[in-house]
């Protein structure tokens, strides 16, 4: 209704005023980082004039003073240290049902690809840079375009008190000089005829774009130059923006940055640099003293890099031309410049080894150098934890704000299509943890040795080795090897969800049998539904029958048994009759067993 729209317009002005109070500091820090304060430029102005720098020179004869921008050096060094870390969200199915594992598997694939496609790691590093310069950095999870976008500190507004107490009810994105043609699809309302005519007249027209979230009413409003373009319902009640602070706020949402902490030291360094520059520019490079009566005219000597003076020598003392080079400035100024520069690095926990790419003086052993690195890492551990939290928060917010009817992954032959609503439904059944983007080495030789060792330890399935290698020159080879593993997982999924037990005969039956058995044992251990286990048992039985049939075809029938040889025929021995008159031998007595 109109009363709601009137309140939103007043509230947008209120939220915008919160950031206006910070613009002076942000403008100062921006110019300190970019040009060491030699020029004042509005942070919200997209069209700057790089040649319009004020060089900060008091005398045109001495030229521009050198700039020793310690703030920029400290910020860039700190950002480079954190840019080495790449953390990905890891979806761990705690309950372990088949549906939960399927959702986690698809979510893991999606976010691994999504983080690479959206260049999330580089954008997170830029958010760190904003935090070091201004105090806070933002990443916007835009559900309309399914993209991760950077937001400058002056482009996002919310109520600091509500944020401190965890009760944020509204927030706003305000972007000046936004291309109007990007909003062309939202100019169909009759009341927006002025914007439509503006675009027709000037295709490059710019407007002030505002997106306002009412998180209590779950409504989202789009504005351009105070014109309401569209109004849509939303399904979430959290801010669609992830935060990172250089220093966590002590109260409200206000904090300090590295540029704030180093500002006074930077001013001192600028003063010393200017004095040294003026002394070096205005002091003569050489001073020549010519005695009177020597016949040398000072006017004929060039004094472009020196000064020539005529002096009256002491009577009776024979002297000649004297050349002297006086020091431009006392050495204490150089010592002060080195002292304050060193203090700036030490206060922010930056070592010479990191900032200047050289070994700190006095450290000559590898153990000492490693100790310096360890101390430096511990010094920045709070920011490191904030950086990890930022990358994790991006994934959590994406799950909340992306439409539940949208597909997570496009359907392929080896995987089923699931929607964001299924992830939302299973959210309580899995946990999101963080892990390194890859625990394997980037060196191909070392990576192969690690995978071989994992196979020997039976930590991974040998069929997964080809997928883990991910060598571009072996793509044609390992894609064939990994296809068998992917197809086995798809067969199991169809059997469990659709009771479809059909598969091509070219599948590796031994691998399919092993994967199905492992799935059955894992799900039964997590108290899966009986009907799911029954389907798996049926699939295992079908695979076992096919394996027995294949084995019967591959193994030839055993040869017939060799017949036993016939028993020998006993031969009766006929004793010749005894000769006449010979005694007949008596028969042996029968032996009676005891």
């Amino acid at each position: 209704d109109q009363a709601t729209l009137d309140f939103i317009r007043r509230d947008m002005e209120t939220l915008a005023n919160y950031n206006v109070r910070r613009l002076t500091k942000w403008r100062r820090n921006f110019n300190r980082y970019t040009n060491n304060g030699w020029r004042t430029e509005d942070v919200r102005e997209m069209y700057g004039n790089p040649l319009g720098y004020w060089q900060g020179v008091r005398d045109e004869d001495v030229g521009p003073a050198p700039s020793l921008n310690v703030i920029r050096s400290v910020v860039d060094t700190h950002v480079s240290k954190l840019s080495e870390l790449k953390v990905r969200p890891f979806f761990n199915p705690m309950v372990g049902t088949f549906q939960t594992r399927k959702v986690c598997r698809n979510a893991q694939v999606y976010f691994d690809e999504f983080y690479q496609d959206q260049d999330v790691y580089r954008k997170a590093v830029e958010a760190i840079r904003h935090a070091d310069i201004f105090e806070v950095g933002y990443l916007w999870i835009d559900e309309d375009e399914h993209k991760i976008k950077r937001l400058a500190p002056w482009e996002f507004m919310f109520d600091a008190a509500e944020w401190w107490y965890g009760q944020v009810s509204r927030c706003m994105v305000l972007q000046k000089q936004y291309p109007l043609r990007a909003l062309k699809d939202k100019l169909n309302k009759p009341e927006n005829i002025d914007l439509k005519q503006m675009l027709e007249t000037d295709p490059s027209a710019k407007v002030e774009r505002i997106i306002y979230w009412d998180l209590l009413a779950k409504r989202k409003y789009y504005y351009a130059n105070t014109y309401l373009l569209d109004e849509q319902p939303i399904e979430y009640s959290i801010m669609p923006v992830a935060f990172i602070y250089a220093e966590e706020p002590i109260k409200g949402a206000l904090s300090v940055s590295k540029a704030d902490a180093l500002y006074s030291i930077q001013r001192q360094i600028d003063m010393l640099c200017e004095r040294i520059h003026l002394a070096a520019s205005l002091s003569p490079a050489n001073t020549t003293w010519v005695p009177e009566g020597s016949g040398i005219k000072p006017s004929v000597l060039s004094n472009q890099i020196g000064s020539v003076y005529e002096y009256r020598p002491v009577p009776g003392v024979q002297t000649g031309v004297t050349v002297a080079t006086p020091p431009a400035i006392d050495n204490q100024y150089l010592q002060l410049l080195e002292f304050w520069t060193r203090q700036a690095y030490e206060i922010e926990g930056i070592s010479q080894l990191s900032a200047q790419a050289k070994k700190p003086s006095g450290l000559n052993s590898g153990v000492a150098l490693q100790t310096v690195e360890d101390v430096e890492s511990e010094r920045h551990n709070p920011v490191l934890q904030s950086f990890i939290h930022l990358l994790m928060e991006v994934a959590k917010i994406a799950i909340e704000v992306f439409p539940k009817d949208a597909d997570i992954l496009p359907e392929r032959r080896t995987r089923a299509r699931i929607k964001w609503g299924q992830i939302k439904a299973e959210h309580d059944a899995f946990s999101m943890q963080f892990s390194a983007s890859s625990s394997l080495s980037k060196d191909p030789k070392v990576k192969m040795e690690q995978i071989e060792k994992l196979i020997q330890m039976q930590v991974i399935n040998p069929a997964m080795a080809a997928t883990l290698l991910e060598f571009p020159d072996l793509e044609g080879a390992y894609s064939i090897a990994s296809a068998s593993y992917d197809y086995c997982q798809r067969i199991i999924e169809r059997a469990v969800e659709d009771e479809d037990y059909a598969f091509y005969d070219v599948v590796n039956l031994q691998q399919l049998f092993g994967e199905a058995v492992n799935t059955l044992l894992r799900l039964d251990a997590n108290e899966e539904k009986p009907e799911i286990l029954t389907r798996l048992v049926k699939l295992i039985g079908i695979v076992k029958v096919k394996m027995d049939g294949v084995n019967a075809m591959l193994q030839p029938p055993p040869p017939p048994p060799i017949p036993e040889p016939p028993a020998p025929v006993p031969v009766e021995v006929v004793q010749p009759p005894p000769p006449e008159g010979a005694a007949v031998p008596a028969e042996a007595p029968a032996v009676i067993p005891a």
Side-chain angles (χ1 to χ4, degrees):
D1 55 7
Q2 189 60 39
T4 301
L5 296 179
D6 292 341
F7 168 78
I8 290 175
R9 291 179 185 275
R10 294 193 304 270
D11 193 50
M12 288 192 300
E13 184 177 355
T14 301
L15 294 178
N17 287 335
Y18 290 152
N19 274 8
V20 169
R21 303 171 187 173
R22 313 289 289 171
L23 279 177
T24 301
K25 189 191 83 163
W26 290 338
R27 185 185 300 115
R28 179 200 68 186
N29 292 358
F30 171 80
N31 289 282
R32 274 290 169 182
Y33 177 79
T34 55
N35 54 72
N36 202 22
W38 284 3
R39 178 188 180 195
T40 300
E41 182 177 345
D42 187 5
V43 292
R44 297 178 297 184
E45 174 60 47
M46 295 297 178
Y47 304 98
N49 182 14
L51 299 180
Y53 280 76
W54 172 60
Q55 298 294 341
V57 181
R58 295 184 179 180
D59 192 334
E60 296 181 357
D61 294 336
V62 299
S67 173
L68 186 58
N69 197 338
V70 179
I71 290 178
R72 185 186 187 104
S73 177
V74 168
V75 169
D76 290 349
T77 303
H78 184 241
V79 170
S80 68
K81 296 287 289 184
L82 293 178
S83 65
E84 300 174 359
L85 179 68
K86 291 185 177 182
V87 178
R88 69 169 185 171
F90 176 72
F91 294 84
N92 183 18
M94 296 182 299
V95 177
T97 63
F98 183 84
Q99 181 65 21
T100 303
R101 291 181 177 276
K102 174 186 173 182
V103 166
C104 289
R105 183 171 66 250
N106 281 268
Q108 190 70 64
V109 173
Y110 173 83
F111 279 102
D112 287 345
E113 296 179 0
F114 184 64
Y115 272 40
Q116 294 297 329
D117 178 68
Q118 292 297 308
D119 205 3
V120 172
Y121 295 112
R122 183 183 63 83
K123 294 175 182 177
V125 169
E126 291 305 312
I128 286 279
R129 192 185 306 276
H130 280 175
D132 283 350
I133 298 173
F134 304 109
E135 71 186 352
V136 65
Y138 299 121
L139 288 180
W140 175 22
I141 296 84
D142 187 356
E143 74 272 21
D144 294 335
E145 301 181 23
H146 277 223
K147 291 183 178 180
I148 308 298
K149 299 179 180 180
R150 291 179 300 171
L151 280 179
W154 48 88
E155 291 180 334
F156 185 63
M157 298 88 175
F158 57 94
D159 191 311
E162 290 184 349
W163 179 83
W164 178 258
Y165 293 109
Q167 302 293 332
V168 178
S169 63
R170 75 257 196 245
C171 58
M172 180 177 72
V173 168
L174 188 152
Q175 297 171 313
K176 293 181 177 292
Q177 299 175 334
Y178 191 83
L180 180 58
R181 66 174 180 269
L183 305 174
K184 183 178 179 180
D185 297 338
K186 298 183 180 297
L187 302 180
N188 299 323
K189 293 184 177 182
E191 55 267 26
N192 297 329
I193 187 64
D194 294 342
L195 295 175
K196 194 171 184 178
Q197 292 177 352
M198 181 190 303
L199 183 61
E200 293 174 353
T201 304
D202 183 9
S204 62
K206 307 296 187 299
V207 295
E208 182 180 85
R209 178 203 190 193
I210 297 178
I211 301 179
Y212 180 92
W213 285 268
D214 186 344
L215 300 177
L216 294 180
K218 293 189 177 182
R219 306 291 294 180
K220 184 178 180 181
Y221 302 85
Y222 300 83
Y223 285 86
N225 286 356
T226 69
Y227 290 92
L228 178 62
L229 301 181
D230 195 10
E231 176 185 354
Q232 295 179 358
I234 57 177
E235 302 172 352
Y236 52 90
S237 58
I238 62 172
M239 291 191 296
V241 176
F243 292 62
I244 183 169
Y245 280 94
E247 299 286 343
E248 288 297 323
I250 299 178
K251 70 167 187 175
L254 307 180
S255 182
V256 295
S257 65
K258 294 192 179 300
D260 295 330
L262 296 175
Y263 177 72
S264 59
I265 295 181
Q266 182 66 63
R267 291 288 302 272
Q268 184 74 8
I269 292 175
D270 293 342
M271 182 269 293
L272 293 172
C273 286
E274 184 178 359
R275 290 190 178 182
I276 294 173
H277 168 67
L278 292 175
S281 301
L282 299 178
S283 296
N286 289 290
T287 302
T288 304
W289 302 90
V290 180
E292 291 181 351
S294 62
I296 299 176
K297 296 182 179 180
S299 60
V300 302
L301 299 177
S302 173
N303 63 350
Q304 184 175 358
I305 61 169
S307 300
V308 180
Y309 299 97
E310 191 175 44
Y311 72 96
R312 182 175 300 172
V314 178
V317 179
Q318 188 167 355
T319 59
V321 176
T322 302
V323 179
T325 304
I329 196 170
D330 192 273
N331 193 46
Q332 67 174 341
Y333 286 93
L334 300 178
Q335 295 175 356
L336 283 173
L337 179 61
E338 182 180 355
F339 168 78
W340 286 116
T341 303
R342 186 173 62 251
Q343 287 298 112
Y345 288 118
E346 291 179 356
I347 286 175
E348 294 303 322
I350 303 295
S351 67
Q352 294 179 358
L353 183 67
S354 300
Q356 303 174 10
K358 70 177 184 179
K359 178 180 70 66
S361 58
L363 299 184
N364 301 316
S365 67
V367 175
L369 292 174
Q370 183 63 41
T371 302
V372 171
E373 290 292 329
D374 292 342
V375 171
E376 186 175 7
S377 300
E378 293 176 0
R379 171 66 172 80
H380 300 301
N381 188 64
V383 184
L384 175 64
Q385 299 302 319
S386 298
F387 184 66
I388 294 173
H389 177 76
L390 173 69
L391 294 172
M392 296 291 295
E393 197 68 16
V394 168
K396 292 180 179 179
I397 295 176
I399 293 175
E400 290 291 333
V401 304
F402 284 168
K404 64 181 181 180
D405 294 331
D407 292 327
I408 296 179
L409 295 171
E411 186 174 5
R412 294 181 184 174
R413 188 176 187 84
T414 58
R415 68 187 180 204
R417 177 181 298 174
I418 67 173
K419 298 182 180 298
W420 284 103
Q422 293 175 262
I423 286 191
K424 298 176 188 290
E426 296 288 337
H427 190 273
D428 295 335
F430 65 81
S431 66
M432 286 185 60
Q433 303 170 349
F434 70 89
S435 68
S437 60
S438 178
S439 300
L440 301 175
S441 173
K442 299 300 181 183
D443 183 77
K445 181 180 178 181
V446 178
K447 191 173 187 179
M448 293 181 69
E449 293 175 353
Q450 290 176 332
I451 293 177
E452 183 178 357
K453 186 174 182 180
L454 291 174
I455 294 175
Q456 294 175 355
M457 297 171 61
Q458 298 183 355
V459 175
I460 63 173
N461 190 323
M464 300 175 60
T467 305
L468 296 175
L469 285 174
E470 295 180 349
F471 294 155
D473 53 345
L474 297 179
E475 170 67 25
Y478 79 69
S479 61
I480 297 175
S482 61
S484 177
Y485 174 80
D486 294 337
Y487 187 50
C488 290
Q489 296 298 323
R490 187 69 181 97
I491 292 172
I492 296 172
E493 186 174 295
R494 283 201 300 257
V496 169
E497 294 186 344
D498 305 326
E499 296 188 66
D500 182 2
Y501 304 98
F503 52 84
Y504 292 105
D505 293 335
V506 294
V507 69
N508 186 333
L509 293 174
Q510 187 67 36
Q511 184 180 11
L512 178 58
F513 181 81
E515 293 298 326
V517 170
N518 289 338
T519 304
L520 174 66
L521 298 178
R522 185 168 60 243
L523 296 182
D524 190 28
N526 289 281
E527 299 182 358
E528 180 59 272
K529 298 177 182 178
E531 56 267 24
I532 300 296
L533 301 179
T534 303
R535 295 169 188 173
L536 280 173
V537 171
K538 183 176 179 180
L539 175 63
I540 293 173
I542 293 174
V543 176
K544 183 65 169 61
V545 170
K546 287 184 174 291
M547 290 175 60
D548 294 341
V550 172
N551 293 334
M553 294 175 59
L554 296 178
Q555 296 180 1
I562 301 175
E564 297 182 358
V569 179
V571 178
E572 183 179 358
V573 180
V574 179
Q575 297 291 337
E580 295 182 1
V584 179
E587 295 182 357
V591 179
I592 300 174

